[in-house]
Amino acid sequence: MFFDLNIRGAGLENNIALASEASRYGWGHINFSYNQNEFKEGLELRDELEDSLSDVIDFDYTLEIKSTNINEIRKIANKYRNKASCISVVGGDLKVNRAVVENVKIDVLSRPYLKRFDSGLNHILAKEALNNSVAIELCFKDVLRTYLSHRSKVISSFKDIYVLYRKFDFPLVLSTRSESIFDIRTTHDFISFFKQTGLSEDEINKSFETSRNILEFNKDRDKMIFRGVRRIVDEA
């Protein structure tokens, strides 16, 4: 199944349109992403979305934290940990990138290269991402919506991250970050793009598996003593 953990959530009609288009283009599961100021309102749409999308596509929610305040990021992640199937933090600021990959309660460091002249990752941060199972997210829209030197810089950051990924094998997530139906591409086009930037088909498929693992792990996160060890309640 093809997973996209970052489709930008909005109102009910827009979400239904995005989900329907994603399904038509081959996606099997999407997460609507909302920032910390919109997340509660987004959750209120769940029942209506389930009524409209139950036979169309699987969906859930990503909390996408946007802040450069490390303490605020930590507080928001703790507050919503059991309410979001995925918690992501928008990167770019080096202090944020480091704090996120060191935090086991956060699932994804999104776009560590954002507004930077480098990828936002180095060997130290790559090791921390691996040790704490924090996925690094690359967004297709960052290429789709950019041009010339800016686009070249984003693709160069992707390639630098691929080098670290192959060396350290931290979790990698690929997403569209679509905001409208015009941003969504078929799964074939999506895969073809990332192959052109240097990933193999196996690596791309592994990224979809990583997305699925994040969702599966968080279903039982409240029962986890630590990663890999789950508390079992005897109901006998």
Side-chain angles (χ1 to χ4, degrees):
M1 186 185 289
F2 297 101
F3 290 78
D4 187 346
L5 297 185
N6 194 350
I7 284 189
R8 191 77 179 92
L12 179 64
E13 291 184 5
N14 187 73
N15 286 0
I16 292 173
L18 282 168
S20 299
E21 192 77 351
S23 175
R24 191 168 74 86
Y25 281 174
W27 297 92
H29 178 102
I30 62 172
N31 265 32
F32 294 112
S33 62
Y34 289 89
N35 65 37
Q36 63 267 31
N37 299 319
E38 304 166 340
F39 190 70
K40 282 185 180 179
E41 293 181 8
L43 286 178
E44 291 172 0
L45 301 175
R46 183 187 287 275
D47 289 343
E48 292 177 275
L49 285 171
E50 286 179 347
D51 290 341
S52 299
L53 300 176
S54 59
D55 297 325
V56 177
I57 194 170
D58 292 337
F59 76 92
D60 216 316
Y61 288 85
T62 292
L63 169 63
E64 185 182 69
I65 302 173
K66 294 182 179 180
S67 176
T68 56
N69 185 311
I70 306 305
N71 288 329
E72 181 184 26
I73 290 172
R74 189 179 300 111
K75 288 178 182 178
I76 294 170
N78 289 338
K79 178 179 179 181
Y80 288 105
R81 181 61 275 177
N82 293 327
K83 297 178 182 178
S85 69
C86 176
I87 293 182
S88 169
V89 177
V90 178
D93 184 298
L94 203 56
K95 300 191 308 294
V96 171
N97 290 356
R98 183 175 191 110
V100 171
V101 297
E102 291 176 345
N103 191 334
V104 295
K105 291 190 176 180
I106 294 172
D107 301 304
V108 177
L109 170 60
S110 180
R111 310 153 81 198
Y113 50 83
L114 192 64
K115 297 179 181 179
R116 298 186 61 82
F117 290 100
D118 58 23
S119 70
L121 284 185
N122 55 35
H123 290 67
I124 294 171
L125 299 189
K127 287 180 184 178
E128 289 298 317
L130 172 64
N131 292 338
N132 295 307
S133 296
V134 177
I136 305 301
E137 180 185 23
L138 310 182
C139 293
F140 175 59
K141 191 172 77 72
D142 290 329
V143 174
L144 181 67
R145 294 284 190 92
T146 55
Y147 302 93
L148 302 175
S149 61
H150 190 184
R151 174 178 287 183
S152 174
K153 188 163 55 178
V154 173
I155 293 175
S156 177
S157 293
F158 282 11
K159 291 180 177 180
D160 289 343
I161 290 171
Y162 298 163
V163 172
L164 291 169
Y165 169 62
R166 288 173 181 138
K167 182 171 183 178
F168 295 101
D169 197 30
F170 51 76
L172 183 70
V173 165
L174 308 177
S175 71
T176 65
R177 205 172 187 277
S178 301
E179 295 183 15
S180 78
I181 59 173
F182 303 107
D183 296 331
I184 297 176
R185 295 294 184 271
T186 67
T187 52
H188 178 270
D189 289 344
F190 183 85
I191 290 170
S192 295
F193 163 75
F194 279 103
K195 285 172 73 174
Q196 287 296 317
T197 62
L199 284 180
S200 70
E201 190 159 349
D202 285 344
E203 288 169 333
I204 295 167
N205 289 333
K206 187 177 179 181
S207 78
F208 295 134
E209 185 70 17
T210 295
S211 296
R212 187 178 70 132
N213 289 342
I214 288 171
L215 299 176
E216 290 296 322
F217 177 79
N218 285 328
K219 286 179 182 178
D220 291 324
R221 182 181 277 269
D222 60 336
K223 299 182 181 124
M224 293 289 180
I225 299 171
F226 51 85
R227 188 171 289 271
V229 179
R230 181 161 60 97
R231 183 184 295 108
I232 297 176
V233 178
D234 186 357
E235 297 180 351

